Amino acid sequence: MKYYDYIITGAGAAGLMLAYRLAKDSFFDQKSILILDPIERIVDDRTWSFWEDGEGEWDDLVSKSWNSVIFANSKSNLKLSLSPYRYKMIKSKDFYQKVWSEIRSKSNIKFLKQEIVKLIPNNKYVEVHTNTLVFKASKVFNSIPNPDNYTE
């Protein structure tokens, strides 16, 4: 059973964003971090959209943005400014490329293609069971839907 300081279960948007933030923070450079997910997402499988006031950290990834909206029906057409906000869209492939690049630049972060089957917490650590392996960590960040299905 291998021990890690932190385990992230699930490498979707939430898990990857957490891993990205940990990778960018020097506090975690000496911590062992494991990311577990049965899939390594790298393809364009979705988009994310959000509102933002002005420039932002993810602007280099924005593939489309809007500064106005149109409300229309057969009788009228109303165009409204969103200022000072913009509605921005990011394609997942671009997001995955950026965050995986940062995550992979850190030798203390490891990714394994494993499906989580159960999480067992106790007072000192959490056991993370996959189909074939068991890991321990002092902290587990679980981004798997319906986590009650995975704990005892």
Side-chain angles (χ1 to χ4, degrees):
M1 190 175 327
K2 176 99 167 117
Y3 175 85
Y4 287 87
D5 294 305
Y6 302 95
I7 295 177
I8 300 170
T9 61
L16 287 177
M17 181 60 80
L18 174 59
Y20 175 78
R21 293 290 182 219
L22 297 179
K24 291 186 74 64
D25 188 332
S26 62
F27 173 84
F28 296 97
D29 285 350
Q30 303 305 314
K31 305 293 184 185
S32 57
I33 301 168
L34 176 64
I35 305 166
L36 296 169
D37 196 291
I39 302 167
E40 182 178 355
R41 289 165 185 83
I42 57 173
V43 299
D44 217 4
D45 59 354
R46 64 195 69 229
T47 60
W48 292 290
S49 298
F50 56 96
W51 299 91
E52 191 165 42
D53 182 359
E55 303 271 324
E57 175 182 5
W58 303 97
D59 281 354
D60 60 324
L61 302 184
V62 171
S63 61
K64 179 84 173 141
S65 69
W66 298 264
N67 58 9
S68 63
V69 293
I70 298 173
F71 295 95
N73 61 29
S74 61
K75 297 179 183 177
S76 66
N77 185 338
L78 177 63
K79 183 175 182 177
L80 299 174
S81 171
L82 298 173
S83 182
Y85 298 97
R86 292 187 66 78
Y87 191 61
K88 301 176 180 182
M89 182 181 76
I90 293 176
K91 293 181 178 180
S92 58
K93 183 177 182 180
D94 299 329
F95 172 81
Y96 296 145
Q97 184 177 14
K98 180 173 182 165
V99 298
W100 278 120
S101 176
E102 183 68 31
I103 292 166
R104 286 190 180 108
S105 75
K106 300 296 184 165
S107 61
N108 62 312
I109 302 177
K110 183 176 184 177
F111 171 74
L112 290 177
K113 290 183 183 181
Q114 294 284 316
E115 182 178 352
I116 309 303
V117 293
K118 121 175 96 169
L119 303 175
I120 303 174
N122 70 33
N123 291 335
K124 295 184 180 183
Y125 57 85
V126 178
E127 282 186 21
V128 179
H129 293 247
T130 71
N131 287 327
T132 58
L133 301 168
V134 178
F135 303 95
K136 284 185 181 180
S138 57
K139 303 277 189 244
V140 172
F141 300 95
N142 186 13
S143 66
I144 298 172
N146 301 317
D148 292 340
N149 296 339
Y150 299 95
T151 59
E152 289 187 347

